[in-house]
Structures are given as C-alpha cells and as structure tokens.
Amino acid sequence: MFDVAHFVSMIPDIGKSFRETLLMISISTAASLLIGLPLGVLLFVTEKGMFWGNRFIHSVFGFSINLVRSIPYIILLVALFPLTKLLVGSTIGPIAASVSLSIAAIPFFARIVQTSMREIDPGIIEATIAVGASPWMIIKDVLLPEARSSIIQGVTLTIISLVAYSAMAGVVGGGGIGDLAIRFGYYRYDNTIMISTVAILVILVALIQISGDLIARKVDKR
C-alpha cells in the first residue's frame, strides 16, 4: 500500500508542494493580521456602549463580514477568479490562491479579535476611560495587551483553517499539498502520495497548534 521507493522518488515534488502551501499560508496570515486585526478592533470599539459606539459603522462592517463568512470557501474561490486575475494576472498557482485565502481569513480573524476583546473585564476599560485615557491609548495600552493571549490563540486557529483551505484550493489548481494529493492521490489512485500528504498536513497542524499554545501561555500575564 505504501511504496517507500516511490515516496523517495517523489520527495522533490512533495517538497515543492510543501513550500507552496507555506507560501499561501504566510501571505494569507499576513493579510489577516494587517487587515483583520484593526477590523476586529473597529467592530469592538463601535459596539453599543463603547467609547466609539456607532451603530451604522458597526452594522455595515458586521454585515460585510457575515456575508463573506457565509460563503463556502470553494465557492468564494471560484467567485473571486475575476478579482484574482485582475490582481495577480492568473487564477492558477499559490499566489493566485492567496487572494481568496486572504479574503476568507480576514473576516474570520476579525471576529476572533472582537470576541477576544469582549472577554476583557469591562471594569478595566471603564477605569481607563475614567482617568482620561484617549481612545488610541485604550486600544494600545489596554485592549490589545489584555486580549493578546486570546488573539494569539485566534491566530493559531486562523492558520490551521488556512491549512485546510489551502488544501481545498488544490482542487482548482491552487498548488500546494492539496494540489499534489488531488493530482496523484485521487486522479491516479496513488496511495503512497495520499498517505504522505495527509501525514504532512496532520503534522503541520499539530506543530502550529503546539507552537500557538506555547506562545499564548507565555504572553498570558493574567
């Protein structure tokens, strides 16, 4: 069932696919941090009762996030082909797949950030407002530090979700481990490649989870 000689001969292809998966995950994680983090903070501080409470802004961004999150990733991937073509000039390959992965990850991570900040003791925020701290100081010195452990766990969850999404992108030529599994494991009934790719994904997810848990515990000062 598992052919060691065949596995050894496929190591260069497996290595190339693994690097493509890491590239997709890295780009999408960076995009979700750069855009999803401030978006999540915005959702939290515009909630009713918060210092920047604004029902209109909160509703518009909340609806947009729910809209994207309600679309299954494989449909979102195909629907974004025109945008992907416009941005990177192709709909095939890991860079092209990173566009849809980023758009799927940003609202997901934004909701995690919002939920993380809701776990902060309201008394801490009220005390900070009472001493005259500016909104920026509250965000920088209270919200982000108090929620950082939970946010790091959210980053871990986002990356793991991206691993699953990146494998799905292989169905439409997105490259990476998923693409290798589809081309060899599914279309060619290559059990060696199928077992190898599944094992790689399992190990990758386990390493990400362990690393995320360690970092979250290290920065948790509560």
Side-chain angles (χ1 to χ4, degrees):
M1 191 172 182
F2 187 88
D3 187 338
V4 176
H6 178 48
F7 172 74
V8 172
S9 70
M10 288 295 293
I11 285 179
D13 293 288
I14 294 174
K16 177 176 178 289
S17 298
F18 185 67
R19 289 193 294 275
E20 289 177 347
T21 294
L22 292 183
L23 177 62
M24 286 188 280
I25 294 172
S26 300
I27 294 173
S28 308
T29 301
S32 62
L33 289 174
L34 289 173
I35 303 175
L37 180 60
L39 186 56
V41 173
L42 179 67
L43 282 174
F44 179 72
V45 300
T46 55
E47 287 182 354
K48 184 180 179 182
M50 291 300 297
F51 50 88
W52 275 347
N54 188 308
R55 186 175 178 180
F56 176 75
I57 293 176
H58 186 79
S59 298
V60 169
F61 282 98
F63 175 78
S64 301
I65 285 174
N66 290 341
L67 180 65
V68 176
R69 291 191 63 198
S70 65
I71 303 173
Y73 175 67
I74 193 67
I75 297 175
L76 183 69
L77 174 64
V78 176
L80 290 173
F81 273 172
L83 177 63
T84 304
K85 179 79 173 178
L86 179 68
L87 291 177
V88 301
S90 173
T91 59
I92 298 174
I95 300 296
S98 299
V99 174
S100 58
L101 285 172
S102 299
I103 291 177
I106 288 169
F108 180 77
F109 184 60
R111 282 298 187 198
I112 289 176
V113 172
Q114 180 190 17
T115 303
S116 299
M117 292 187 169
R118 282 177 176 170
E119 296 173 357
I120 300 173
D121 183 354
I124 296 176
I125 301 174
E126 291 169 3
T128 311
I129 295 173
V131 298
S134 67
W136 171 242
M137 289 174 64
I138 297 172
I139 293 171
K140 180 173 64 73
D141 298 330
V142 177
L143 298 184
L144 292 177
E146 288 291 328
R148 62 187 170 190
S149 176
S150 182
I151 290 175
I152 288 173
Q153 290 177 335
V155 173
T156 305
L157 184 60
T158 303
I159 296 174
I160 290 174
S161 298
L162 284 170
V163 172
Y165 288 164
S166 69
M168 209 181 300
V171 175
V172 290
I177 293 294
D179 182 52
L180 190 70
I182 293 294
R183 284 190 291 115
F184 285 83
Y186 182 69
Y187 289 127
R188 303 182 189 182
Y189 304 104
D190 190 331
N191 291 328
T192 299
I193 295 302
M194 183 60 82
I195 293 170
S196 302
T197 53
V198 170
I200 288 171
L201 291 174
V202 170
I203 293 170
L204 180 61
V205 167
L207 289 175
I208 293 169
Q209 185 66 61
I210 292 170
S211 302
D213 289 344
L214 286 174
I215 297 171
R217 279 200 294 270
K218 192 173 182 61
V219 302
D220 189 2
K221 303 300 181 185
R222 291 173 293 182

